[in-house]
Amino acid sequence: MSSRVARATSFVAAASGLLGVLDLVSTLVCIRLWITTADFGAATLAIALFPIVDRLGGGKLGDALVRDPDDESTVAWLALGIGAIACGTLVLARPIVALLVQPLGASLVAAYAVRLVIQASSVVPEARLRRELRFGELSAIRVIAGLVETATKLGFAAAGAHVWCFALGPIANTIVTSAGVQLREPWRPRLHFAPGRARSAAKFAGALSAGELMYYAYTSADYLVVGAWFGDAAVGAYRLAYELVLDVVKLVSSITAEVAYPVFAAGGDAVATLAKLTRQNAIAIAPIIAFIGLEADALLRALYGPLPAAAATAARILCAVGALRIVSFVIPPMLAGVGQPRRVLAYHAIALVVLPSSFAIAAALGSDLTAVAWGWAAGYPIAFGALLALAHVSIAKLAGALGPIMVAAAIALAAGYAVRGNLVVAALAMLAVYVPLIYWIEIARARAAKAPDRAPSRDT
């Protein structure tokens, strides 16, 4: 299982990295060659709603099947029904959506909703691939679909569909993904529908979807607070600091989380699996957080040009939050995998109350955008503590599993600090220290795990 998880994580990481590069490059090319700033602004408002559309359209029903593969036909018909209803509702509600994202943006959202109907055909075969940890095949399909999406986006942008390309690209991606998973895991639904099974799957998926919608709400509230208290310019600087830290942590953690869910759903010792996957996540993220904390000002300046000093300070404060998220991104898949999606929902509900309140209080007491970063640092440990309580996770066991990794990151940070002043030199110095330390720690841990228990001799 350990080797299968490692391979799955490697496949997901490679695919995620390549897809991220494709998305970035295609967007930059479109902006440079064909799309005006105004057009891109209109598209951005609509794109911000796309994840919400996915959740409203039954996007988590596949997770229900990974957890419980019983009666796949019922879940497939349920996915098709929810997708069709969501699509029809968004088309009919276009005038209302237009009040939020302008008429063109509302049309993009309505067009994007078509993919909810298309993806219903892939719910079962994709769930089967995930349940069997066949992430190599899934990653290959996703990369091919990403290439098709990129070609579609660029082609329509060049042809004059400057805004529509951002909706048509994802639709093409969904068509290719659905065809690909059907080729690798052919499946057709039976003419059968069990209301009881549909209700249980809908409750499971609904709890996860509602939790993710709450997540989007409280992780966007800080932007609103910064804008209200400190102005639009502060929002821009704060967003760059936030993305440098917490978006990077989320990107890396999502790789582990995607593999974690079917592993937990398969059963076994959830506590041991959590420790192993959290260590895996920490090994990847700890040096990144340490490096950002060390060189936040230089990184922001290199990536985005001159920014207020408060941006670098905010980034360093958010590194503390990022350290907690090493764990908090892995626990929800564990809870969902062991059949406790309502606890995931409860965690997000607590965070939805605590974090926006912390942002507002901190902003009222502070004098610049760093106040909201301090709001994160004050409020997130409360939500994190609630998550640990809901999951019945021992802080002592987590500290034992992650302590050596954090020590290695701290030693690497000291090495980087000794040569700071050049981003490349500092990064190389930290890696030169961190990688051997982690190798030694993992080797020692593996040997300790394999060593047989030796009872003291009773020979006389």
Side-chain angles (χ1 to χ4, degrees), residues 167-201:
L168 297 175
I171 292 174
N173 184 312
T174 303
I175 293 172
V176 174
T177 299
S178 298
V181 295
Q182 281 285 358
L183 287 172
R184 297 306 305 163
E185 186 68 28
W187 181 86
R188 297 291 183 274
R190 296 181 292 111
L191 293 176
H192 168 74
F193 188 84
R197 171 57 175 149
R199 282 193 298 271
S200 66

Side-chain angles (χ1 to χ4, degrees), residues 179-250:
V181 295
Q182 281 285 358
L183 287 172
R184 297 306 305 163
E185 186 68 28
W187 181 86
R188 297 291 183 274
R190 296 181 292 111
L191 293 176
H192 168 74
F193 188 84
R197 171 57 175 149
R199 282 193 298 271
S200 66
K203 287 180 180 179
F204 186 94
L208 295 181
S209 296
E212 291 196 354
L213 290 173
M214 290 180 182
Y215 171 84
Y216 289 126
Y218 67 73
T219 55
S220 300
D222 50 352
Y223 294 146
L224 299 176
V225 172
V226 172
W229 261 270
F230 307 115
D232 293 343
V235 175
Y238 174 83
R239 178 173 181 174
L240 296 177
Y242 179 98
E243 290 179 347
L244 179 67
V245 182
L246 297 188
D247 274 6
V248 171
V249 172
K250 178 185 176 183

Side-chain angles (χ1 to χ4, degrees), residues 19-60:
L19 291 174
V21 170
L22 285 174
D23 183 62
L24 176 62
V25 170
S26 64
T27 300
L28 290 176
V29 170
C30 287
I31 293 173
R32 290 296 183 107
L33 298 181
W34 303 296
I35 298 177
T36 66
T37 303
D39 286 341
F40 185 66
T44 298
L45 293 174
I47 292 170
L49 296 179
F50 286 177
I52 298 175
V53 173
D54 287 331
R55 272 53 186 187
L56 295 176
K60 287 296 180 178

Side-chain angles (χ1 to χ4, degrees), residues 98-113:
L99 299 175
L100 300 174
V101 294
Q102 303 177 4
L104 182 56
S107 297
L108 283 182
V109 171
Y112 180 86

Side-chain angles (χ1 to χ4, degrees), residues 179-431:
V181 295
Q182 281 285 358
L183 287 172
R184 297 306 305 163
E185 186 68 28
W187 181 86
R188 297 291 183 274
R190 296 181 292 111
L191 293 176
H192 168 74
F193 188 84
R197 171 57 175 149
R199 282 193 298 271
S200 66
K203 287 180 180 179
F204 186 94
L208 295 181
S209 296
E212 291 196 354
L213 290 173
M214 290 180 182
Y215 171 84
Y216 289 126
Y218 67 73
T219 55
S220 300
D222 50 352
Y223 294 146
L224 299 176
V225 172
V226 172
W229 261 270
F230 307 115
D232 293 343
V235 175
Y238 174 83
R239 178 173 181 174
L240 296 177
Y242 179 98
E243 290 179 347
L244 179 67
V245 182
L246 297 188
D247 274 6
V248 171
V249 172
K250 178 185 176 183
L251 176 64
V252 178
S253 296
S254 64
I255 295 168
T256 301
E258 182 172 354
V259 178
Y261 175 68
V263 174
F264 284 117
D269 188 341
V271 175
T273 303
L274 176 66
K276 182 174 294 187
L277 291 173
T278 304
R279 283 177 57 78
Q280 173 182 291
N281 208 34
I283 288 171
I285 295 176
I288 297 174
I289 293 176
F291 182 62
I292 293 173
L294 177 66
E295 297 285 4
D297 44 359
L299 280 169
L300 288 170
R301 185 168 57 251
L303 292 171
Y304 307 113
L307 288 172
T313 303
R316 291 190 170 98
I317 296 168
L318 292 173
C319 284
V321 180
L324 295 181
R325 284 191 157 189
I326 289 174
V327 179
S328 66
F329 273 118
V330 184
I331 292 180
M334 181 193 76
L335 289 174
V338 300
Q340 296 292 338
R342 292 186 179 181
R343 295 190 182 186
V344 181
L345 180 61
Y347 157 63
H348 287 301
I350 292 169
L352 183 61
V353 173
V354 171
L355 287 171
S357 301
S358 298
F359 302 153
I361 293 170
L365 297 175
S367 58
D368 60 23
L369 62 89
T370 59
V372 177
W374 283 115
W376 266 108
Y380 197 72
I382 298 174
F384 181 75
L387 178 62
L388 293 182
L390 287 165
H392 304 297
V393 173
S394 166
I395 297 177
K397 288 184 178 180
L398 279 178
L402 303 181
I405 299 170
M406 297 306 170
V407 171
I411 296 173
L413 176 62
Y417 184 82
V419 295
R420 68 176 306 190
N422 183 293
L423 286 174
V424 175
V425 173
L428 292 175
M430 291 181 68
L431 286 175

